[in-house]
Amino acid sequence: MHCPFCRHTDTRVLDSRVAEDGTSIRRRRQCPMCERRFTTLEQMQLVVVKRSGVVEPFSREKVVSGVRKACKGRPVTDVQLARLGQRVEETLRASGQAEIPADDVGLAILAPLRELDPVVYLRFASVYKHYASVEDFESEIKNLRGTEPAPV
């Protein structure tokens, strides 16, 4: 860790604490050269591995904007969408993986979305699960109602 004041390449950790949200570590450091103190915040970098193999940083905003499209015309607030984005990120971080396949992000969205609004869930799931027929929708609706889907 470089000192932000004198750019010395070595610093000493004086104190480490888990941040309030539990997803990062706050470290109090001191430079042995200039003796100034500073704080760093360390957080695990979550990245999403797309089907094409491209890797990009996880974006809670991207999750929310994708779900927002499925919410068009539904009584879902921005606050509810923000909570959903937070739940998805917490679920992915709790997995302990730094690299998350894009399909796992979609799966992490489905559970809280089902609780939020069943119509939005069906819209999102129809794209994510690649529904090919009316029977696919019927089967998912039966699952939403708590009954087993009829064999196809």
Side-chain angles (χ1 to χ4, degrees), residues 1-3 6-12 29 31-33:
M1 168 59 63
H2 290 275
C3 172
C6 71
R7 303 300 298 158
H8 185 66
T9 58
D10 187 29
T11 60
R12 187 169 61 117
R29 297 176 178 267
C31 174
M33 202 67 160

Side-chain angles (χ1 to χ4, degrees), residues 3 22 24 34-36 49 54 67 69 104 112 129-130:
C3 172
S24 58
C34 68
E35 297 187 3
R36 293 181 77 177
V49 181
V54 173
V67 173
K69 292 172 191 169
D104 289 359
K129 292 183 174 182
H130 310 290

Side-chain angles (χ1 to χ4, degrees), residues 106-132:
L107 288 173
I109 292 171
L110 288 176
L113 192 55
R114 185 176 181 158
E115 295 170 17
L116 179 65
D117 186 298
V119 173
V120 175
Y121 168 81
L122 276 174
R123 289 176 180 172
F124 189 86
S126 71
V127 174
Y128 180 74
K129 292 183 174 182
H130 310 290
Y131 291 170

Side-chain angles (χ1 to χ4, degrees), residues 10-122:
D10 187 29
T11 60
R12 187 169 61 117
V13 175
L14 302 174
D15 183 43
S16 294
R17 296 181 187 185
V18 175
E20 291 175 15
D21 61 2
T23 63
S24 58
I25 297 174
R26 181 183 169 275
R27 298 196 195 277
R28 192 73 180 136
R29 297 176 178 267
Q30 183 175 18
C31 174
M33 202 67 160
C34 68
E35 297 187 3
R36 293 181 77 177
R37 294 181 178 195
F38 58 98
T39 302
T40 59
L41 193 64
E42 298 176 19
Q43 187 172 31
M44 181 177 77
Q45 177 78 28
L46 268 183
V47 293
V48 177
V49 181
K50 299 196 163 221
R51 289 182 197 109
S52 66
V54 173
V55 176
E56 67 180 42
F58 172 80
S59 168
R60 189 186 295 184
E61 292 77 28
K62 193 169 180 179
V63 167
V64 170
S65 72
V67 173
R68 183 175 279 124
K69 292 172 191 169
C71 292
K72 189 169 181 133
R74 298 296 300 162
V76 177
T77 67
D78 286 341
V79 171
Q80 290 172 312
L81 287 174
R83 276 193 217 118
L84 180 133
Q86 181 178 353
R87 281 184 64 190
V88 169
E89 184 172 354
E90 288 170 356
T91 299
L92 295 175
R93 286 192 183 281
S95 75
Q97 298 177 332
E99 293 187 355
I100 309 291
D103 285 344
D104 289 359
V105 176
L107 288 173
I109 292 171
L110 288 176
L113 192 55
R114 185 176 181 158
E115 295 170 17
L116 179 65
D117 186 298
V119 173
V120 175
Y121 168 81
L122 276 174

